[in-house]
Amino acid sequence: IAITSPGNGSIVTPNNDNLSVNITYQSNGGGYQTPTWAYRIDSPFSSSSIAKISTGWEHTLILKTDGSLYSFGKNNNGQLGDGTYTDRHSPILIIASGVEQIAAGESHSLVLKTDGSLFSFGNNTYGQLGDGTTIDRHTPTQIFSSGVAQIAAGKSHSLIIKTDGSLHTFGSNNFGQLGDGTTTDRHTPTQILT
């Protein structure tokens, strides 16, 4: 299982046919404390059918081995991609097949399909969906029809590597996290490296 998380040190590990989430918080003294509690997520499918997991601030994406995408958690910006703004307490099917990679930002999501097409949904305050707007999307919105090889999502920015090896970034850039030499937000993918 591939595991990624941009927020608060969340660690997701398989536990029999369920998933357990243990969260470690940094104390004020700089050391780490592990709380005596843990969340348990009872999954409607066995862990052996899970290919990848990506967690955002308060939402989770699950990619199954059959290429289907499920999501659950907070949905105030449409980051679950189910066409609503309703929080989901158990996994809901978003895309039935063809998904190859997933990436969850703080409250936005990226999906790369096997044909190289890129889809995004959720919070778009800084243009992190890459669709040329700052309008939140609650369903998967196509950004590229082909040519994308890898994806990554930060708090409020996104990165893609195209099949030609070029790196493109978009979204929040207040600390220069897009790598374009500015602190200007970008609403569409901007090439950084060739």
Side-chain angles (χ1 to χ4, degrees):
I1 294 176
I3 299 168
T4 60
S5 174
N8 268 0
S10 299
I11 302 170
V12 182
T13 57
N15 181 6
N16 298 325
D17 284 343
N18 298 300
L19 300 175
S20 293
V21 179
N22 298 306
I23 301 175
T24 302
Y25 292 96
Q26 186 171 3
S27 70
N28 290 336
Y32 287 91
Q33 301 177 20
T34 301
T36 57
W37 45 266
Y39 293 102
R40 183 169 181 89
I41 303 167
D42 292 321
S43 173
F45 37 82
S46 72
S47 59
S48 62
S49 68
I50 300 171
K52 296 179 183 175
I53 299 170
S54 186
T55 60
W57 186 253
E58 296 176 318
H59 76 290
T60 301
L61 303 175
I62 296 177
L63 173 59
K64 290 183 62 176
T65 54
D66 65 3
S68 60
L69 171 67
Y70 288 77
S71 64
F72 56 97
K74 192 168 185 174
N75 199 25
N76 60 316
N77 297 108
Q79 60 264 45
L80 300 185
D82 67 352
T84 76
Y85 296 102
T86 304
D87 295 350
R88 303 293 180 177
H89 302 140
S90 59
I92 183 169
L93 178 65
I94 305 303
I95 299 174
S97 64
V99 177
E100 182 174 310
Q101 293 180 34
I102 53 175
E106 181 178 64
S107 57
H108 74 288
S109 303
L110 301 177
V111 174
L112 175 62
K113 297 195 79 179
T114 55
D115 62 3
S117 58
L118 173 68
F119 293 81
S120 60
F121 44 96
N123 188 329
N124 200 23
T125 302
Y126 303 100
Q128 62 264 45
L129 300 185
D131 66 355
T133 76
T134 55
I135 299 168
D136 292 355
R137 305 292 180 187
H138 62 278
T139 58
T141 300
Q142 188 171 36
I143 307 305
F144 286 103
S145 60
S146 65
V148 179
Q150 291 185 10
I151 58 174
K155 178 181 177 184
S156 298
H157 71 292
S158 304
L159 302 93
I160 62 168
I161 297 174
K162 297 192 80 178
T163 52
D164 65 5
S166 60
L167 172 67
H168 300 252
T169 61
F170 44 101
S172 177
N173 199 23
N174 56 325
F175 297 105
Q177 59 266 48
L178 299 185
D180 65 356
T182 75
T183 55
T184 303
D185 297 346
R186 303 293 179 190
H187 302 158
T188 57
T190 300
Q191 185 169 324
I192 304 303
L193 298 171
T194 57

